[in-house]
Amino acid sequence: MLCDIAFTLAAGDVAAFVGPSGCGKTTMLRILAGLDRAFEGAINGAAPGRIGMVFQEPRLLPWRTAEANVRLAAPGASETKLAELFSILELAPYRTHYPGELSLGLARRVALARAFAVDPALLILDEPFVSLDQALAARLRAELATLVDRRHVTTILVTHDVEDAVWLADRIFLLAGRPAGIVAELTVPGRRGERSAAQIATMRQKIAALAAPRVAVAP
Amino acid sequence: MLRLLSLALFVGVWLIGAKLAGGQMLPSPGAVLTAIVTEARSGTLFVALGATLVRVVLSFSLAMVAGTALGLLMGRAPWADAIGDPWLVVTLNLPALVIIVLAYVWGGLTESAAIAAVAINKLPNTIVTVREGARSLDPTLDEMAQVFAMSRGVVFRDVILPQLYPYLAAAARSGLSLVWKIVLVAELLGRPNGVGFEIGTAFQLFDVARILAYALVFVAVMLLIETALVQPLERRASRWRVRVA
């Protein structure tokens, strides 16, 4: 599925892995999160610690309220911190709601709050905006950018959408081929959350130009 | 409304049956009611009910706790399933009577032998139901708990147990009715008190009115437990589901 994936992140880096669906992005995240142990290679962490993860689906406990879902994952989180998270993610009115009563967008926010509440040394995001409508995805991206900046947390984001990557990441790794490998690495100019439409369009073209021929000649 | 009508029909059929068969074979509802009052006045009814209920509660709890633990283990660990499954097939098909008789032979005509025998009768049924529940546990929630390094206690209480509630409720429901029927047999064979013992005595005297009196009162008590205890617990466990609808 995957081969020759090698990269190093500095603390506080936000790295995005972009590639077509089915190229093994999720597998890579599962290995990083310790869910998949059937791999060859090594993961070295200078600062190993807690992992906060947002799965493709919210994966909330349906029988616990939004707040309880966050608290169960982060028993040590203070009330102040939870209140701040809920306010940034616009979840304050939904604390006592059960996941079944929440829309997908809101459930995603709860999953984000849960991942940040544990004060992660590494934040792993697996397609956090998939199957949300454009406007909602844009809002959630902005909220996520705020949180990532405030917390200065090392983040690995996996997405098939160049837009997500350009919005949030400092560095972008392009994945392609079968088995997939890293085919290009880019640095995104400008400050997160303040990138102009023109900057994003340029990056998008660059990535398209890089990705297309590589995919075609991939073994 | 239809339920009440059905109940009325039952009493009607009983009345006609009593007329046709004669009071000796099938006493009328009135005669049975008199028998209930007589037994209640003398106090025997309550002593017997109490003794039987204690046995039901003890053996039921024992079977539920042990059955949940074993069922969970067998549903989650393939090696445990491989070891336990043949035992399960044997005990599931072992007649209740055989287990009771053997328990009395090996354990003597004691209270603990009676309770153990009833619990063992119910145990495989609980294991099978809970194992089914354990097999259907959502693996994505397991992974979530693992990534967030949730403690074992939290995983059991907040992740696993809520998923098992429907299965536990099913096991409890079928278990309660199974257990009280078997308790009566255990009492008939080897206890000096309880509803089963009283019915045994009445049988020796061919006192059908007393047999029916004890049976009816006990069924009523078990129905009461079912509606006042089991059903509210079931509703509580599925509260989050109700709010969604």
Side-chain angles (χ1 to χ4, degrees):
Chain A
M1 194 79 182
L2 289 162
C3 75
D4 282 343
I5 303 261
F7 61 90
T8 312
L9 297 181
D13 269 356
V14 177
F17 287 80
V18 182
S21 30
C23 83
K25 298 184 302 264
T26 298
T27 309
M28 184 187 80
L29 290 190
R30 292 175 56 82
I31 290 171
L32 282 169
L35 292 174
D36 212 326
R37 300 193 191 278
F39 67 96
E40 286 169 36
I43 302 165
N44 302 307
R50 302 207 59 159
I51 290 177
M53 185 161 179
V54 177
F55 298 89
Q56 271 183 39
E57 331 81 52
R59 295 204 190 177
L60 302 172
L61 302 171
W63 39 85
R64 294 287 180 265
T65 62
E67 180 173 346
N69 264 283
V70 176
R71 280 187 188 280
L72 283 170
S78 71
E79 177 54 39
T80 332
K81 191 163 94 186
L82 287 190
E84 192 204 355
L85 273 174
F86 276 103
S87 122
I88 293 176
L89 290 165
E90 296 172 38
L91 280 171
Y94 304 105
R95 281 190 161 209
T96 56
H97 284 55
Y98 286 91
E101 304 169 297
L102 301 176
S103 65
L104 181 60
L106 285 167
R108 281 262 165 73
R109 286 190 160 97
V110 177
L112 272 171
R114 179 175 64 186
F116 275 99
V118 303
D119 272 331
L122 177 66
L123 178 66
I124 297 177
L125 307 170
D126 188 1
E127 303 268 14
F129 313 115
V130 78
S131 59
L132 294 183
D133 68 63
Q134 290 275 326
L136 195 59
R139 251 174 67 197
L140 206 51
R141 266 201 298 264
E143 284 164 18
L144 186 57
T146 316
L147 274 171
V148 167
D149 273 342
R150 278 201 200 182
R151 296 290 161 92
H152 199 67
V153 50
T154 313
T155 305
I156 293 180
L157 160 75
V158 144
T159 178
H160 68 278
D161 188 350
V162 176
E163 199 94 359
D164 294 344
V166 176
W167 258 89
L168 289 163
D170 313 305
R171 298 162 69 194
I172 296 178
F173 296 90
L174 289 185
L175 294 175
R178 205 165 265 275
I182 296 175
V183 294
E185 187 188 336
L186 301 109
T187 307
V188 190
R191 266 180 62 85
R192 182 183 0 273
E194 292 173 4
R195 286 161 192 149
S196 68
Q199 269 175 323
I200 288 172
T202 320
M203 281 305 286
R204 192 193 264 285
Q205 276 167 6
K206 232 175 170 176
I207 289 167
L210 276 168
R214 296 280 186 155
V215 175
V217 297
Chain B
M1 191 59 218
L2 218 57
R3 279 164 180 272
L4 278 177
L5 223 69
S6 168
L7 205 64
L9 186 72
F10 174 74
V11 177
V13 169
W14 183 357
L15 270 168
I16 296 166
K19 278 264 176 340
L20 290 179
Q24 196 63 41
M25 294 296 277
L26 180 58
S28 69
V32 172
L33 198 69
T34 320
I36 291 176
V37 173
T38 324
E39 291 298 308
R41 281 240 174 91
S42 73
T44 349
L45 180 71
F46 301 110
V47 174
L49 266 181
T52 302
L53 274 178
V54 168
R55 287 179 191 126
V56 167
V57 168
L58 283 178
S59 47
F60 174 77
S61 317
L62 205 64
M64 284 301 287
V65 171
T68 303
L70 289 171
L72 203 53
L73 184 69
M74 285 175 70
R76 302 271 274 182
W79 61 265
D81 197 38
I83 294 172
D85 200 55
W87 291 66
L88 211 54
V89 174
V90 172
T91 40
L92 266 174
N93 289 297
L94 213 55
L97 194 61
V98 174
I99 296 176
I100 295 167
V101 169
L102 286 179
Y104 281 145
V105 169
W106 293 331
L109 293 176
T110 60
E111 199 62 53
S112 33
I115 289 166
V118 179
I120 291 169
N121 266 303
K122 163 64 188 155
L123 190 65
N125 175 275
T126 312
I127 293 176
V128 169
T129 312
V130 175
R131 180 176 67 175
E132 212 51 55
R135 280 177 179 161
S136 72
L137 289 176
D138 185 351
T140 71
L141 292 180
D142 260 5
E143 288 183 356
M144 185 278 292
Q146 197 189 328
V147 167
F148 285 100
M150 289 180 176
S151 69
R152 275 171 174 274
V154 169
V155 170
F156 182 70
R157 201 192 61 215
D158 298 281
V159 182
I160 292 178
L161 214 51
Q163 295 184 68
L164 287 184
Y165 274 149
Y167 296 89
L168 290 177
R173 221 167 225 213
S174 69
L176 211 54
S177 56
L178 185 73
V179 161
W180 80 255
K181 286 171 194 166
I182 299 172
V183 163
L184 259 53
V185 178
E187 285 174 345
L188 179 78
L189 287 176
R191 297 315 301 147
N193 53 17
V195 175
F197 170 81
E198 297 299 337
I199 290 177
T201 321
F203 169 58
Q204 278 156 23
L205 304 168
F206 287 104
D207 189 347
V208 183
R210 239 174 88 199
I211 293 176
L212 287 177
Y214 273 100
L216 274 183
V217 170
F218 199 66
V219 167
V221 169
M222 293 316 287
L223 266 177
L224 201 70
I225 290 177
E226 158 89 24
T227 45
L229 221 71
V230 178
Q231 282 179 13
L233 274 176
E234 238 177 337
R235 268 199 297 279
R236 221 182 99 85
S238 59
R239 206 172 24 174
W240 59 276
R241 244 188 264 272
V242 176
R243 271 183 66 169
V244 173

